[in-house]
Amino acid sequence: MLRYLAGRLLRAILTIFLVIAFVFFVLHLSGDPAMMILSADAPPEAIKAFREAWGLDRPVWEQFLAYLFHALQGDFGNSMRDGRPAMQLVLERVPSTLAITVPAFALKLLIGIPAGIYAALHRNSLADRLTMMISVAGFTVPSFVLALVLVLVFSVQLGWLPSAGSDKPTSAILPIVTLGVAGAAILARFTRSAMLEVLGQPYIRAASAKGLQWRKVVVEHALPNAAIPTTTIVGFMVGTLIAGAVVVESVFAWPGIGRLLVSAVSNRDLAVVQAILLLVATTMVTANIIVDFVYGWLDPRLRRGGTRGR
Amino acid sequence: MRPVDRRRFIGLTVGGLVLPRFAIGQSDTRPTINIAVQQVATSASLEVVRERSNVGERVQQSIFETLIDRNLKSKLEPIPGLAESWKRIDERTVEFALRKGVKFHNGEEMTADDVVFTFGPERMFGYDYDSGSNKTLFTTVLARDSIEGKKLPAEVVGIAKRTFPSLEQVVAVDKYTVRFVNRVPDVTLEARIGSSGCSIISKRGFMEAKTWIDWARKPIATGPYKVRELKPDESLILDAHDEYWGGKPPIKTIRFVVVPEVSSRINGLLSGQYEFICDVPPDQIGALAQNAKFEVQGGLITNHRILVFDKNHPRLADPRIRQAITHSIDRQAIVDSLWAGKTRVPPGLQWEFYGPMFVEGWTVPEYDPKKTQALLKEAGYKGEPIPFRVLNNYYTNQTATAQIEVEMWRAAGLNIQIEMRENWQQIFENDGKRAMRDWSNSAPFSDPMSSMVGQHGPQGQQQQAKEWTNAEMNKLCETLEVETDMAKRRAMFKRMLEICEREDPAYTVLHQNATFTAKRKDIQWQSAPAFAMDFRADNFRWDRKT
């Protein structure tokens, strides 16, 4: 088990390092920040001064090593626009983003998983078809379209909820619903597929043939086995808690990480973009590690280093 | 009578202290208004010497004031602001008589000391300023240097130096009189002093701020509204400055809320969440105007959309090709189709608020396909491709305008090809293939020095980027800066227009830019011919019935 955990941790550290390196080189090679950040009519001496001030005049590999050196000590650079430490700016926005992504995540679980299970248990029934029809609509309609439809109905027509902003507690409702609906739809489809696959397995027939109550067969045999593919999707959703609301935050003028990312990219605020992507990578990797641990807990064969098919 | 015991005494005392304030609070029936904007300030600060964007001008109007104001109800002509009057002492000196009884947001009275401090090294020029130097460091965004203390960001010094290339000193003659002395004769000194970067600030307010960025986010000035809080990329909250010299502000609190999406701004207006929304695109005006509860206002601002030429490109070296390009654009068709006729084709790179420097009768090159064809024939143009670098809607309607132009040029026999670019660096890349690009020009103050010379002269962007130069134009720029005879100056400016727009085209003007604001119809408010929003007592009334 310890070897299993250590392997996963090493892989996670390597992934974060690769993300840092990739983001750093892509950002620095995709254009000269001096030209982007300075006014378009900046004279050469201003551009030179800017490059020197931010160390952009040094070779990229040297800049990368300097960045790594400082990052390991917790210094992720300053925002070129705001002046404050980039990570501080990013962390200030985290609570705001979590205020909509965490409830939306709960909504996804509360709607998606029961709906998928129900549809699988009532395969080909009217309820199944209706659930799947709503599910298909849920994940095919782009989130910005859904957001605008919700605003038109609940803000413009009915006047029940604010159309944008974050100044009232009710401002969070529409962003949460927008994020939650699409995720629930995806989860419902995956849960249904996983359940259908498990329900067709011989051990389910064997359990039923032994005379076990159908409820017990589903709860004790079908659900745990169907949980592994569902866990993968849920893990991915956990990973998107930090930066999975870029579009929704823009449409609803919600002051979270997504809005900061859009603003930082358009202003070429490299340190902030890098800090956000580092945070996102760390969240995704952490979520994946947790999922790996959960796999091990759900399936003892994985703990022992085996494979499911063996 | 009931005896006054300890509990009753405390109750009466606390009540006595609280009631008047409560009563004052109750009697303030002024509204709070919410304004959705696409951005409050691009530099995450409000300091006028740093935040120079159009969106910044919109909110700064309520916070700051200059010695010489501009008439927002007319054509932006100069009117008395914080100075009641001013007079020329000589060709290098202007003296201002300050308005008495003007209070800053911190309650202090404005005096000559504050004006001197406003233009001093601590706030504007830094301590290395040299009025004899011609070098200008024009940068933006180096705030990192300012965080630890009051050291000015480099761009502040650069902008100050560009606004006042030769300001020698500002002197307090007495408590209410100030003199500005320039190193060289300059007839534009009053116009420069009246420009937005020269708003007067409180010396004490600046000195009391812990860091420069603290100051820049909560400046103390004299405008009708004071800053309560700026949350960059989120909101700006302003409260009424009840000691405002121009009368009690009509709004208790103004909330500028950042809503980047157009559709979200419009939905917010329709649902009643916002009373005003800004930056309404022209294609949405019709739909909003059909709703009886709302109206769209606004229009022309002091900014022209132009096309810029690189005359080093082999196809454009012959001025006749550039002239042909300028004659083959039906500018009015662009205005009518993409702007619903809500803007205009201006008389070249100039504005009426130039006053005596405005060249009457000047026009952009007329749309004349036959003339185009004749010019192309003379120049021996055989349909060789000419690249046209375009950003994706950096300017309103930019891509659509470029597509229409290309078709117009094609019809006239020109093979101009759009090349989409992602950023300004790619637009400016001098790889020998650079030929044409989009741009816009503003006039920060009422003189061609601010636009024609500032943008197309030797220190301007176009020449700095090595796209275009002209010896006669450069000589004229030098002479115009120090010439004081207005008739001679106007003649020089006319000659500049002839060179840059007709003989050896550096650019060609397409149309004037415009900005549109939608609002509730029951609010009496008039937009200005600028990005600035005026919420003073004589320009706002809301008879709330609902």
Side-chain angles (χ1 to χ4, degrees), chain B residues 356-370:
Chain B
M357 287 300 287
F358 184 77
V359 178
E360 290 284 355
W362 184 258
T363 61
V364 294
E366 65 281 8
Y367 172 56
D368 188 345
K370 281 186 182 167

Side-chain angles (χ1 to χ4, degrees), chain B residues 106-108 114 117 201-209 220:
Chain B
N106 59 6
E108 239 184 5
D114 295 298
F117 182 83
I201 60 153
S202 157
K203 179 181 177 181
R204 199 187 91 194
F206 185 92
M207 299 308 283
E208 284 179 353
I220 307 292

Side-chain angles (χ1 to χ4, degrees), chain A residues 209-231:
Chain A
K210 276 195 321 187
L212 268 181
Q213 277 184 333
W214 181 237
R215 175 187 284 269
K216 271 198 158 185
V217 172
V218 170
V219 173
E220 291 177 13
H221 293 275
L223 282 182
N225 283 292
I228 286 186
T230 310
T231 304

Side-chain angles (χ1 to χ4, degrees), chain A residues 103-117 131-132 134-139 146 176-192 230 233-234 237:
Chain A
F105 177 67
L107 201 64
K108 290 170 197 176
L109 297 183
L110 288 174
I111 297 175
I113 292 177
I117 294 170
T131 307
M132 284 307 102
I134 295 169
S135 168
V136 168
F139 76 81
L146 179 63
I176 289 169
V177 171
T178 307
L179 286 169
V181 164
I186 294 168
L187 211 49
R189 283 193 68 81
F190 269 88
T191 308
R192 179 181 179 272
T230 310
I233 298 300
V234 172
M237 288 175 173

Side-chain angles (χ1 to χ4, degrees), chain B residues 250-386:
Chain B
I251 302 164
K252 190 178 165 195
T253 302
I254 302 177
R255 290 179 69 246
F256 289 95
V257 187
V258 179
V259 184
E261 285 294 318
V262 174
S263 53
S264 302
R265 292 200 294 275
I266 292 174
N267 286 333
L269 179 77
L270 297 177
S271 67
Q273 193 173 351
Y274 311 121
E275 283 75 36
F276 288 80
I277 60 167
C278 299
D279 307 309
V280 176
D283 61 346
Q284 296 294 321
I285 294 173
L288 278 167
Q290 283 174 0
N291 192 320
K293 287 183 183 171
F294 308 102
E295 66 174 345
V296 182
Q297 279 196 16
L300 305 179
I301 54 170
T302 55
N303 181 274
H304 291 347
R305 268 279 280 112
I306 64 175
L307 275 177
V308 175
F309 301 114
D310 184 339
K311 72 187 223 184
N312 302 304
H313 188 276
R315 299 284 87 71
L316 299 183
D318 188 331
R320 288 172 296 189
I321 305 284
R322 280 174 275 141
Q323 288 163 2
I325 293 171
T326 68
H327 283 293
S328 49
I329 306 168
D330 186 349
R331 295 164 178 81
Q332 194 55 48
I334 292 171
V335 166
D336 291 339
S337 58
L338 295 181
W339 291 83
K342 299 278 185 187
T343 183
R344 65 166 182 163
V345 180
L349 192 58
Q350 57 169 348
W351 291 264
E352 284 78 1
F353 82 114
Y354 278 4
M357 287 300 287
F358 184 77
V359 178
E360 290 284 355
W362 184 258
T363 61
V364 294
E366 65 281 8
Y367 172 56
D368 188 345
K370 281 186 182 167
K371 191 170 184 175
T372 301
Q373 283 157 4
L375 283 164
L376 293 177
K377 197 174 174 186
E378 278 175 38
Y381 176 72
K382 299 273 190 297
E384 298 90 341
I386 300 170

Side-chain angles (χ1 to χ4, degrees), chain B residues 135-193:
Chain B
K135 279 183 77 178
T136 56
L137 181 69
F138 186 53
T139 69
T140 59
V141 197
L142 274 172
R144 186 181 63 164
D145 297 339
S146 69
I147 292 307
E148 301 303 327
K150 292 281 182 59
K151 187 180 172 189
L152 293 177
E155 74 274 16
V156 167
V157 180
I159 291 167
K161 181 81 201 283
R162 182 165 269 219
T163 309
F164 292 105
S166 310
L167 185 64
E168 195 170 284
Q169 57 177 329
V170 183
V171 186
V173 177
D174 60 40
K175 193 177 177 185
Y176 298 110
T177 311
V178 182
R179 268 186 197 169
F180 286 73
V181 185
N182 212 44
R183 188 173 54 83
V184 293
D186 184 1
V187 292
T188 66
L189 194 53
E190 292 91 331
R192 291 176 194 270
I193 293 166

